């Protein structure tokens, strides 16, 4: 049904960015404006979530033009669930940045955060392939800025690496979109289904699609396009790491799945042959790399790449259980990783150390932080009843359903590696003699770490509804009839 | 005319990739903007030049497909923005790290 809701988060993001720049020089006014727009964003997403969970598909046709002539913004169950994750994690990141960033730069950083959100929501809710490219660029540009804003050498280096790689792949994406258009005559995602049935040369079409997916796969850190991630995610300021690791990679993964499953099933089947081995390699390789890290945030960054392997593996199966598991695991991992980065940021500040083996004695020195860390690490390792377990279990059972044994074995190996590494790191951080901290962790950061850890527990306990919503989203996405009817119909 | 565009596209991509692979970050930016130009040309190449009609145009001779040309306009604007950002990053790297040599920049990390 027609509704302006899908475009609302986008407008609120742009509005937030400009208002913050215009009004944000005064600290209290800045907080007020940020809180106002962030709350409005969350409210808009909740509204979208509530409406789509009833099964309606919300469509906004910009300028009143009907696709394929006009561009539609569409919110269905699948995009709304990802949108909810993105909104929650971005709120955590914005809250952390308000507590963290130096006052002088704060309004610029907030403007970038709002731009980033506008880009992500645009990418989630757009119904047009070229529009997707525009929004991927938009949130990309905002994220390079956020990685680099401190302007110190490591930040500049990480941002340069991230920006270069990501921009090169977006050139490929542009070419791929042109090639897709040349073969299908449309850029509307809803119209690709019909067009992909009568493709003259399937192999050429798959090649074009590969170009499109390269940019999205890089954003979601799929092997072999993962190597920028550890630098960017670990060196970025903690508030930025929360959003990059929690939300931005998920939007990349969402883009891959959305583009693939807008097509006729044969495209997804062909793609899963390539995506499953790549996802398995990502999961195992990144988990092994994570095991070797001494820098806590670098470990977290590698484990993000590893967990994205699970999400892509689940989604690439193309089954209802598989796509549902992708939704569940990305939600679970987003909460877990936000909590872990909040803990890591607070611990880094408290101990004056980035290396986990030198943080020792956290249990005695900052018990609340150590408990939050324990919950988040257990969730990352996939211990029931926490969120990470339900996500991983859903992915494993979806793989077993489709008898993708090799991928399943790889993911189990990755899981065990992360379990061992997480246990080792938590013991290293929490154990050991107590003593005085370099300085006490700031209260807002502690509260944030505790809140996100609580979210991890709640998500773990409330897996049932989430899994149900994920399944419904997968059914709606794979069937696609309602989506096409809503976008292309009268 | 299409062979001319094809050759130009190929040359632009070749020169662009050559520059992107250099150690100098400034040449990387130059190579990147060449690749962007190549991509825009590719979008044009993918469009049909003859026999299509713009939407809502009922009469008159059939001509080229307007959609890819609109895409190119958007892509040029985006390309301009991201190139400016890349230049800013290279500038920051020149000021902060005192080098624009990519090998040296990644050596500094260790």
């Amino acid at each position: 049904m027609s509704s302006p809701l899908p475009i609302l988060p986008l407008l609120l993001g742009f509005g937030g960015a400009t208002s913050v720049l215009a009004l944000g020089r005064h600290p209290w006014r800045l907080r007020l404006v940020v809180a106002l727009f962030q709350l409005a964003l969350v409210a808009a997403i909740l509204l979208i979530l509530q409406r789509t969970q009833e099964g309606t598909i919300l469509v906004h046709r910009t300028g009143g033009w009907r696709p394929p002539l006009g561009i539609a913004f569409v919110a269905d169950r699948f995009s709304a669930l990802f949108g909810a994750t993105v909104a929650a994690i971005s709120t955590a990141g914005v809250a952390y940045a308000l507590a963290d960033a130096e006052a002088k730069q704060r309004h610029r950083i907030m403007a970038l955060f709002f731009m980033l959100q506008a880009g992500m929501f645009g990418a989630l809710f757009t119904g047009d392939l070229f529009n997707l490219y525009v929004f991927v660029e938009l949130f990309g540009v905002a994220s390079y800025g956020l990685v680099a804003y401190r302007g110190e050498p490591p930040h500049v280096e990480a941002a340069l690496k991230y920006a270069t790689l990501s921009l090169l792949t977006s050139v490929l994406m542009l070419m791929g979109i042109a090639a897709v258009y040349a073969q299908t005559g449309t850029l509307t995602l809803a119209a690709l289904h019909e067009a992909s049935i009568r493709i003259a040369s399937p192999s050429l079409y798959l090649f074009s699609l590969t170009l499109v997916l390269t940019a999205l796969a890089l954003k979601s850190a799929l092997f072999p396009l993962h190597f920028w991630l550890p630098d960017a995610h670990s060196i970025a300021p903690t508030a930025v790491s929360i959003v990059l690791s929690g939300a931005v990679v998920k939007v990349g993964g969402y883009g891959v799945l959305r583009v693939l499953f807008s097509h006729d099933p044969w495209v997804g089947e062909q793609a899963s042959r390539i995506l499953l081995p790549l996802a398995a390699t990502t999961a195992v390789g990144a988990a092994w790399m994570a095991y070797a890290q001494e820098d806590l945030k670098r470990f977290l960054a590698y484990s993000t790449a590893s967990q994205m392997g699970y999400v892509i593996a689940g989604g690439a199966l193309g089954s209802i259980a598989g796509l549902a598991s992708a939704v569940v695991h990305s939600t679970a991992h987003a909460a877990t990783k936000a909590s872990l980065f909040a803990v890591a940021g607070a611990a880094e500040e408290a101990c004056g150390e980035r290396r986990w083996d030198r943080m020792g004695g956290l249990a005695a020195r900052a018990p609340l932080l150590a408990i939050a860390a324990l919950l988040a690490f257990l969730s990352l390792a996939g211990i029931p009843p926490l969120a990470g377990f339900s996500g991983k279990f859903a992915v494993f059972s979806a793989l077993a359903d489709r008898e993708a044994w090799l991928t399943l074995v790889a993911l189990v190996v990755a899981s065990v590696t992360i379990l061992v590494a997480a246990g080792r790191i938590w013991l290293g951080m929490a154990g050991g003699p107590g003593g005085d901290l370099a300085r006490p962790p700031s209260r807002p950061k502690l509260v944030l770490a505790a809140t996100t850890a609580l979210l991890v527990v709640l998500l773990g306990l409330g897996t049932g509804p989430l899994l149900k919503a994920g399944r419904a989203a997968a059914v709606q996405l794979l069937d696609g009839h309602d989506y096409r009817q809503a976008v292309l119909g009268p | 005319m299409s062979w001319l565009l094809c050759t130009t596209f190929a040359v632009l991509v070749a020169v662009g990739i050559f520059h992107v692979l250099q150690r100098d970050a400034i040449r990387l930016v130059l190579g990147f903007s060449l690749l962007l130009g190549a991509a825009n040309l590719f979008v044009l190449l993918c469009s049909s030049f003859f026999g299509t009609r713009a939407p809502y145009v009922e009469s008159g001779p059939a001509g080229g497909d307007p959609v890819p040309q609109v895409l190119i306009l958007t892509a040029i604007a985006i390309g301009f923005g991201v190139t400016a950002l890349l230049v800013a990053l290279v500038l920051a790297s020149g000021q902060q790290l005192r080098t624009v040599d990519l090998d040296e920049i990644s050596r500094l990390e260790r």
Side-chain angles (χ1 to χ4, degrees):
Chain A
M1 67 176 284
S2 182
S3 151
L5 273 178
I7 205 172
L8 196 58
L10 185 67
L11 296 179
L12 284 171
F14 286 140
T18 43
S19 317
V20 159
L21 274 185
L23 304 169
R25 289 192 182 275
H26 191 277
W28 278 109
R29 216 160 47 193
L30 173 75
R31 279 193 193 142
L32 193 69
V33 173
V34 168
L36 212 64
F37 273 97
Q38 195 60 41
L39 283 180
L41 262 171
V42 172
I45 293 294
L46 283 180
L47 214 57
I48 291 177
L49 192 64
Q50 188 231 336
R51 297 284 293 279
T52 49
Q53 291 314 304
E54 292 161 1
T56 41
I57 292 178
L58 305 168
V59 182
H60 175 76
R61 295 174 176 147
T62 44
W65 297 97
R66 224 175 74 194
L69 275 186
I71 292 169
F73 281 80
V74 196
D76 63 353
R77 288 175 192 265
F78 194 59
S79 51
L81 283 173
F82 272 89
T85 308
V86 167
I89 301 304
S90 307
T91 309
V94 165
Y96 197 100
L98 271 184
D100 191 35
E102 305 105 77
K104 210 175 73 187
Q105 285 191 324
R106 217 176 261 158
H107 65 290
R108 301 206 185 111
I109 297 159
M110 285 303 150
L112 280 176
F113 264 113
F114 278 115
M115 266 320 194
L116 183 70
Q117 291 188 69
M120 289 195 288
F121 289 126
L124 288 176
F125 294 128
T126 186
D128 183 277
L129 197 56
F130 189 77
N131 221 231
L132 181 65
Y133 162 76
V134 174
F135 286 117
V136 167
E137 288 291 86
L138 180 65
F139 79 69
V141 166
S143 61
Y144 321 140
L146 281 171
V147 172
Y149 79 79
R150 287 239 167 117
E152 286 155 20
H155 299 102
V156 172
E157 195 245 326
L160 193 62
K161 206 189 248 178
Y162 178 21
T164 312
L165 285 168
S166 165
L167 291 175
L168 285 175
T169 50
S170 64
V171 170
L172 294 183
M173 185 175 180
L174 181 59
M175 292 192 201
I177 288 172
V180 166
Y181 179 76
Q183 291 167 77
T184 59
T186 182
L187 290 168
T188 308
L189 288 174
L192 282 179
H193 181 267
E194 205 198 321
S196 63
I197 297 174
R198 15 174 207 89
I199 283 293
S201 159
S203 49
L204 183 63
Y205 189 70
L206 284 175
F207 176 70
S208 325
L209 217 51
T210 311
L211 290 180
V212 175
L213 295 183
T214 309
L216 298 166
L218 180 124
K219 288 281 189 298
S220 63
L222 194 67
F223 173 85
L225 301 166
H226 63 287
F227 41 85
W228 58 271
L229 182 137
D231 275 340
H233 285 205
S234 66
I235 289 181
T238 303
V240 180
S241 305
I242 290 177
V243 181
L244 285 184
S245 251
V248 174
V249 288
K250 307 296 181 301
V251 178
Y254 165 87
V256 170
L257 299 178
R258 167 65 79 189
V259 170
L260 275 181
F261 296 108
S262 292
H263 289 86
D264 195 62
W266 71 266
V267 175
E269 273 161 33
Q270 294 292 326
S272 78
R273 287 210 246 151
I274 307 163
L275 281 178
L276 277 181
L278 286 185
T281 320
T282 314
V284 177
W288 284 343
M289 287 301 290
Y291 187 84
Q293 301 307 315
E294 287 163 335
D295 181 321
L296 178 58
K297 282 179 78 178
R298 228 176 148 73
F299 162 78
L300 296 180
Y302 271 110
S303 77
T304 296
S306 172
Q307 303 297 307
M308 277 316 284
Y310 291 70
V311 173
I312 301 284
L317 283 174
S319 62
I320 290 171
L323 280 161
S325 75
V327 172
V328 174
H329 193 57
S330 38
T331 314
H333 172 250
T336 308
K337 203 38 73 69
S339 166
L340 277 170
F341 267 116
V343 165
E348 188 186 323
E349 187 190 64
C351 304
E353 270 296 341
R354 288 178 65 95
R355 290 177 53 142
W356 57 266
D357 51 344
R358 292 197 194 138
M359 285 177 178
L362 221 53
R365 299 195 284 179
L368 184 63
L369 202 58
I371 293 171
L374 178 64
L375 288 173
F377 270 122
L378 287 179
S379 168
L380 182 71
I383 303 292
L386 296 164
F389 168 75
S390 25
K392 282 187 182 178
F393 187 75
V395 174
F396 288 165
S397 51
L399 284 168
D401 271 355
R402 278 293 174 101
E403 303 185 347
W405 301 120
L406 219 57
T407 315
L408 183 60
V409 169
L411 294 198
V412 170
V413 170
S415 258
V416 172
T417 314
I418 290 287
L419 171 68
V420 175
R424 196 175 60 137
I425 291 178
W426 188 77
L427 289 176
M429 277 171 68
D436 282 339
L437 293 167
R439 56 176 165 153
S442 73
R443 184 157 299 154
K445 289 182 187 175
L446 269 183
V447 170
L448 194 71
T451 323
T452 40
L454 199 65
L455 189 68
V456 169
V457 178
L458 289 180
L459 270 178
L461 295 176
T463 307
L466 181 62
L467 200 61
K468 219 172 111 193
R471 284 189 78 88
V475 170
Q476 198 181 46
L477 179 70
L478 286 177
D479 174 39
H481 181 263
D482 293 347
Y483 182 91
R484 291 193 289 278
Q485 193 63 38
V487 178
L488 301 172
Chain B
M1 202 177 76
S2 140
W3 65 269
L4 186 66
L5 285 179
C6 282
T7 324
T8 320
F9 169 71
V11 171
L12 278 179
V13 169
V15 179
I17 288 180
F18 176 75
H19 280 286
V20 163
L21 293 178
Q22 300 302 304
R23 286 169 49 181
D24 189 347
I26 294 171
R27 289 176 78 178
L28 176 107
V29 178
L30 290 179
F32 172 71
S33 35
L34 283 178
L35 282 179
L36 267 178
N40 290 336
L41 206 56
F42 185 75
V43 180
L44 187 68
L45 270 168
C46 282
S47 67
S48 57
F49 297 153
F50 311 103
T52 46
R53 229 179 256 281
Y56 289 94
V57 177
E58 303 285 328
S59 57
D65 184 358
V67 175
Q69 302 180 23
V70 177
L71 299 188
I72 292 172
L73 271 182
T74 318
I76 288 174
I78 294 174
F80 172 71
V82 294
T83 313
L85 185 87
L86 213 50
V87 170
L89 277 177
V90 172
L91 191 69
S93 133
Q95 282 171 349
Q96 292 289 324
L97 315 174
R98 298 258 151 244
T99 176
V100 288
D101 185 311
L102 293 170
D103 278 358
E104 268 181 50
I105 292 176
S106 42
R107 219 174 294 131
L108 282 175
E109 192 190 348
R110 270 156 231 127

